[in-house]
């Protein structure tokens, strides 16, 4: 079997060699024509042929008015070293030529050269001018003129100047080192023959420059790009690579400006425009743009989490923002009603320290909120909260009565009110917890205590919902201090020989007494007695002489340590 195949393979090889030899002989059995290289006007130029079959006798020039003929013999050139022919008395217009050679080679036919015309070569048609980094890649279709020998590339600068770049024999070219992300460039490619006759300039192709901008407020992307010049009808596609993934088609866009919402925030994109010729498969790419759609967290919410300061009347608001985003410039709204605070979007500028701010005096259960604006100009209001206003007064000599308002706290529920006695040493003593609608409490002054004032504060515990976070909030009232104001009770009669042989007022809270004056006058206005010592009384005598029994007038003035003054006039009866 192996021998059979070896023999057949040998026979096949012999047949192939025989056929090749026959074909080579057929080529040698024809008279080779001169190589017509160009026709410049009425001048023809060619390269000399090589024939070995016999002596050549002439070069024959044929002409016609159409590439389809009929061709007629124009002339015979017998100078076999000549490589040029000038046609005299040319009829003008576009003329077509080819050449043959005559030789003493009986029985052999004459080969024709290429058919050339005397017109300029047809221009090359650019298929694309694409940007790749700082390079621009050009490609074009070959000129349809057979005499085309090379191509000349021209570039139009951004300022309109046209420069000649290079001459090549290929159908592509790379123009390097350009500012493709800033400038657009125009290109021409002309065809030339070996006589350096150039074609006319073809249609210009202009590259696309893409610029982008990402709006962190609307999350939209603006595409700014020029139209590709060179195609009669063009479709523009946006292509994107997201976070290093393969490039994908995003959508069809239109120059000069397109705004899209396809590029989601929080990503890195590489973008470029594909300009597609609607009449062919050709396409050109723009420069690539790297677009970062990452955005810093922006202010979306403000939540007031606390009001006031324990053991103080400082009106400090504490707050938090989403993701602890700095709130920027804050304004405060303080209104008498919830509705007024809700509708007020102006407010007054305030300063902040971290996540707190101190407001001016707040009273009568006023309502507050904070206002800021994000980087996009959106107004961001906080929740509305209400201040606790605490008041206190002496119910009697041994008791203090406290009263406060219930509060409204947007997005929060008040769980309880705790009433604290603020000791002079700075400690707090819880004296009452209120979980119902009762907003009053009484404090009994401890026996034997000689303090001049007693201070109190109410703290509300609030279950607060700040967006998705549930937390405990505290609202502190003002700290109110009730002072023991000194006062007195005066009798309306006394008896010199009785149990109380003196007229003397009973002073309460004497520890708070800062000054005292008492006058006694008879019915005619004569001063009978005067003292500044609250421990001394009138004995019913004047200059060591008993005063007549009857009616007298007293005038008592005293000043308490808190600055409050009391003056009282009254009548008394002196009995014997």
């Amino acid at each position: 079997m192996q021998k059979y195949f070896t023999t057949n393979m040998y026979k096949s090889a012999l047949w192939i060699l025989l056929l090749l030899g026959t074909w080579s002989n057929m080529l040698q059995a024809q008279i080779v024509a001169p190589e017509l290289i160009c026709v410049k006007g009425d001048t023809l130029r060619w390269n000399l042929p090589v024939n070995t079959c016999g002596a050549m006798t002439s070069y024959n020039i044929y002409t016609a008015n159409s590439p389809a003929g009929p061709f007629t013999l124009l002339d015979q050139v017998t100078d076999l070293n000549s490589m040029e022919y000038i046609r005299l008395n040319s009829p003008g217009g576009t003329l077509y030529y080819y050449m043959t050679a005559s030789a003493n080679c009986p029985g052999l036919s004459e080969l024709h050269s290429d058919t050339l015309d005397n017109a300029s070569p047809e221009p090359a048609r650019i298929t694309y001018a694409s940007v790749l980094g700082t390079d621009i890649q050009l490609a074009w279709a070959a000129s349809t003129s057979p005499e085309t020998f090379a191509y000349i590339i021209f570039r139009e600068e951004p300022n309109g100047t046209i420069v000649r770049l290079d001459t090549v024999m290929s159908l592509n070219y790379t123009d390097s080192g350009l500012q493709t992300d800033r400038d657009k460039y125009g290109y021409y490619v002309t065809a030339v023959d070996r006589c350096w006759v150039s074609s006319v300039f073809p249609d210009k192709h202009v590259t696309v420059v893409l610029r982008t901008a990402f709006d962190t407020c609307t999350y939209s992307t603006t595409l700014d790009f020029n139209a590709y010049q060179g195609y009669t009808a063009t479709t523009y596609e946006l292509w994107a690579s997201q976070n290093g993934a393969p490039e994908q088609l995003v959508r069809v866009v239109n120059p000069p400006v397109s705004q899209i919402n396809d590029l989601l925030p929080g990503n890195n994109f590489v973008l470029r425009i594909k300009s597609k010729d609607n009449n062919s498969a050709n396409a050109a790419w723009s420069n690539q743009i790297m677009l970062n759609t990452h955005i810093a967290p922006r202010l979306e919410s403000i939540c007031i989490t606390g009001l006031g300061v324990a053991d103080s009347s400082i009106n400090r608001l504490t707050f938090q923002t989403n993701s602890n985003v700095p709130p920027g410039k804050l304004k405060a709204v303080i209104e008498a009603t919830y509705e007024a605070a809700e509708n007020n979007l102006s407010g007054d500028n305030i300063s902040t320290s971290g996540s707190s701010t101190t407001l001016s005096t707040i009273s009568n259960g006023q309502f507050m909120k904070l206002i800021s604006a994000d980087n996009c100009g959106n107004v961001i209001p906080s929740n509305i909260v209400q201040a606790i206003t605490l008041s206190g007064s002496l119910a009697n000599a041994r008791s203090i009565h406290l009263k406060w308002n219930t509060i409204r706290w947007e997005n929060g529920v008040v769980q309880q009110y705790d009433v604290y006695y603020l000791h002079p040493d700075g400690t707090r003593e819880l004296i009452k917890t209120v979980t119902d609608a009762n907003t009053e409490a009484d404090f009994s002054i401890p026996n034997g205590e000689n303090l001049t004032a007693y201070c109190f504060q109410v703290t509300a515990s609030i279950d607060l919902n700040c967006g998705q976070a549930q937390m405990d909030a505290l609202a502190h009232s003002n700290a109110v201090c009730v002072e023991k104001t000194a006062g007195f009770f005066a009798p309306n009669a006394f008896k010199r020989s009785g149990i109380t042989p003196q007229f003397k007022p009973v002073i309460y809270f004497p520890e708070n007494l800062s000054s005292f004056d008492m006058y006694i006058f008879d019915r005619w206005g004569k001063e009978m007695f005067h003292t500044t010592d609250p421990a001394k009384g009138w004995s019913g005598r004047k200059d060591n002489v008993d005063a007549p029994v009857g009616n007298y007038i007293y005038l008592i003035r005293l000043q308490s340590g808190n600055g409050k003054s009391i003056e009282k006039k009254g009548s008394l009866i002196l009995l014997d």
Side-chain angles (χ1 to χ4, degrees), residues 289-303:
I289 286 288
M290 296 185 66
L291 179 66
N292 184 337
T293 62
H294 290 273
I295 58 174
R298 71 185 187 192
L299 184 66
E300 296 177 354
S301 65
I302 307 173
C303 186

Side-chain angles (χ1 to χ4, degrees), residues 212-292:
T212 62
F214 182 71
D215 191 327
T216 58
C217 296
T218 62
Y219 300 155
S220 62
T221 302
T222 299
L223 307 174
D224 185 349
F225 62 99
N226 60 288
Y228 184 85
Q229 185 176 335
Y231 300 148
T232 56
T234 309
T235 297
Y236 299 93
E237 296 176 346
L238 174 66
W239 287 71
S241 168
Q242 180 176 340
N243 301 323
E247 191 175 39
Q248 292 184 344
L249 172 64
V250 177
R251 59 159 52 225
V252 172
V253 291
N254 293 301
V257 177
S258 286
Q259 192 171 65
I260 63 173
N261 295 297
D262 303 78
L263 306 181
L264 299 179
N267 293 282
N268 292 313
F269 292 95
V270 178
L271 308 176
R272 59 177 179 164
I273 298 295
K274 184 178 184 180
S275 305
K276 295 176 62 177
D277 183 4
N278 293 346
N279 298 318
S280 70
N282 298 324
W285 293 93
S286 74
N287 58 307
Q288 288 184 327
I289 286 288
M290 296 185 66
L291 179 66
N292 184 337

Side-chain angles (χ1 to χ4, degrees), residues 28-353:
Q28 293 296 324
Q30 291 179 307
I31 302 173
V32 179
E35 180 189 9
L36 183 59
I37 58 175
C38 66
V39 179
K40 185 176 182 180
D42 295 318
T43 301
L44 285 73
R45 293 192 177 93
W46 61 85
N47 289 329
L48 298 179
V50 176
N51 285 291
T52 60
C53 61
M56 284 190 292
T57 58
S58 67
Y59 304 134
N60 309 311
I61 301 173
Y62 292 84
T63 186
N65 294 325
S66 167
F71 283 84
T72 60
L73 179 65
L74 172 64
D75 205 348
Q76 289 183 310
V77 178
T78 58
D79 181 359
L80 300 180
N81 293 318
S82 176
M83 300 174 66
E84 182 179 276
Y85 175 83
I86 299 175
R87 181 179 182 179
L88 302 177
N89 302 317
S90 171
T94 302
L95 301 173
Y96 298 86
Y97 301 91
Y98 72 79
M99 295 180 68
T100 65
S102 296
N104 292 323
C105 300
L108 298 185
S109 62
E110 298 176 352
L111 292 175
H112 288 195
S113 71
D114 291 334
T115 299
L116 304 183
D117 58 41
N118 63 345
S120 300
E122 288 296 319
R125 301 296 177 183
I126 296 175
T127 56
Y128 62 79
S130 275
V131 178
L132 183 62
T134 59
D135 297 344
I136 295 178
Q137 296 180 332
L138 299 175
W140 55 89
S143 169
T144 57
S145 299
E147 68 269 26
T148 298
F149 169 71
Y151 300 93
I152 303 175
I153 298 98
F154 297 87
R155 180 179 70 216
E156 183 179 68
E157 302 285 2
N159 62 5
T161 302
I162 297 177
V163 295
R164 179 172 175 168
L165 297 179
D166 206 348
T167 301
V168 299
M169 294 183 181
S170 62
L171 297 178
N172 53 70
Y173 181 78
T174 298
D175 192 9
S176 301
L178 303 174
Q179 295 181 332
T180 54
D181 58 346
R182 188 191 72 180
D183 298 324
K184 59 183 181 180
Y185 297 90
Y187 289 91
Y188 304 91
V189 176
T190 61
V192 293
D193 61 20
R194 295 187 182 183
C195 297
W196 293 102
V197 175
S198 173
S199 68
V200 298
F201 273 56
D203 292 334
K204 177 173 61 175
H205 280 236
V206 178
T207 59
V208 173
V209 178
L210 172 64
R211 299 178 179 90
T212 62
F214 182 71
D215 191 327
T216 58
C217 296
T218 62
Y219 300 155
S220 62
T221 302
T222 299
L223 307 174
D224 185 349
F225 62 99
N226 60 288
Y228 184 85
Q229 185 176 335
Y231 300 148
T232 56
T234 309
T235 297
Y236 299 93
E237 296 176 346
L238 174 66
W239 287 71
S241 168
Q242 180 176 340
N243 301 323
E247 191 175 39
Q248 292 184 344
L249 172 64
V250 177
R251 59 159 52 225
V252 172
V253 291
N254 293 301
V257 177
S258 286
Q259 192 171 65
I260 63 173
N261 295 297
D262 303 78
L263 306 181
L264 299 179
N267 293 282
N268 292 313
F269 292 95
V270 178
L271 308 176
R272 59 177 179 164
I273 298 295
K274 184 178 184 180
S275 305
K276 295 176 62 177
D277 183 4
N278 293 346
N279 298 318
S280 70
N282 298 324
W285 293 93
S286 74
N287 58 307
Q288 288 184 327
I289 286 288
M290 296 185 66
L291 179 66
N292 184 337
T293 62
H294 290 273
I295 58 174
R298 71 185 187 192
L299 184 66
E300 296 177 354
S301 65
I302 307 173
C303 186
I304 297 177
T305 58
L307 172 62
V309 177
D311 308 329
S312 172
S313 290
I314 298 175
N315 296 305
R316 181 179 299 161
L317 282 180
T318 57
F319 58 88
Q320 71 173 29
T321 61
N322 59 291
S323 303
N324 295 318
V325 175
K329 293 182 178 179
L330 275 177
K331 294 184 177 182
V333 170
I334 302 176
E335 295 285 358
T337 66
Y338 184 95
E339 290 73 20
E342 186 176 34
N343 295 326
N344 188 339
L345 293 178
S346 55
D348 299 316
N349 291 325
I350 58 174
S351 60
T352 60
S353 176

Side-chain angles (χ1 to χ4, degrees), residues 431-451:
I431 61 174
K432 187 175 184 179
T433 295
V434 177
T435 57
D436 53 23
N438 180 31
T439 57
E440 297 184 33
D442 290 306
F443 176 75
S444 297
I445 299 174
N447 291 326
E449 217 174 53
N450 292 322
L451 298 177

